[in-house]
Amino acid sequence: MLLSTDLESSEILIEPSYVKVYDVAVGRAGELITKQGYLLRITNKTPQVAAYEISFFSCQEMYKDSFWGYEDIPNADWFIYKSTEIFVLPNNEGYLKNHYIKIPKDNKYYGKRWHAVIRVRQKTRQTGIFNVEWLLPLLIETEQRKAR
């Protein structure tokens, strides 16, 4: 496994090296988006179209420890996405958008700090070729419960 910070000299660059989203809604779907307006940016420095598979996991599913101050996300099935693939044109950038999370409406989910994992797996055109994948931390902070 490679971390995105290790990829600057390779043919692929994934930014940022971790994702942090704030004020995520409880009880309704909220887009996973950074201040830059996307979840991830993938730069393809090759002369071919590059295809990637995107998936989300809990830390436990990926045998990872949670970051300090964060708990493992209770349920990775809360992630919603229209497509699990992204295609990036040669010598171009692709932006991962339209990925959501729907946290159930429950008072216990307000004000939480969760850690999940985004897996970006390079898809190959041929069988038997080594696939590269990146595991990126996704830090989620849910909205605070509003006083009544």
Side-chain angles (χ1 to χ4, degrees), residues 52-113:
Y52 303 93
E53 178 183 77
I54 310 298
S55 45
F56 296 84
F57 297 92
S58 69
C59 293
Q60 181 180 5
E61 290 174 302
M62 299 306 287
Y63 306 101
K64 298 282 183 191
D65 292 328
S66 299
F67 276 19
W68 185 84
Y70 287 81
E71 300 173 40
D72 193 7
I73 192 161
N75 191 339
D77 292 335
W78 294 344
F79 293 103
I80 304 166
Y81 29 99
K82 295 178 183 177
S83 175
T84 60
E85 296 180 324
I86 182 171
F87 297 90
V88 183
L89 295 175
N91 300 304
N92 215 323
E93 296 176 342
Y95 296 90
L96 189 61
K97 298 179 181 181
N98 299 318
H99 286 69
Y100 299 83
I101 186 168
K102 185 172 183 185
I103 301 165
K105 181 80 170 167
D106 192 320
N107 288 338
K108 68 182 179 182
Y109 296 136
Y110 286 95
K112 292 293 185 178
R113 294 163 50 102

Side-chain angles (χ1 to χ4, degrees), residues 11 14 17 19 23-24 29 33 35 38 45 48 53 80 87 98 100 105 122-123 125 131 133:
E11 295 178 339
I14 299 177
S17 60
V19 177
D23 206 29
V24 176
I33 193 165
K35 294 175 184 175
Y38 52 84
K45 299 178 184 178
Q48 299 90 23
E53 178 183 77
I80 304 166
F87 297 90
N98 299 318
Y100 299 83
K105 181 80 170 167
Q122 187 174 15
K123 297 176 76 175
R125 293 172 210 62
N131 273 346
E133 67 179 36

Side-chain angles (χ1 to χ4, degrees), residues 16-28:
S17 60
Y18 72 96
V19 177
K20 190 171 188 178
V21 290
Y22 301 91
D23 206 29
V24 176
V26 174
R28 62 188 185 283

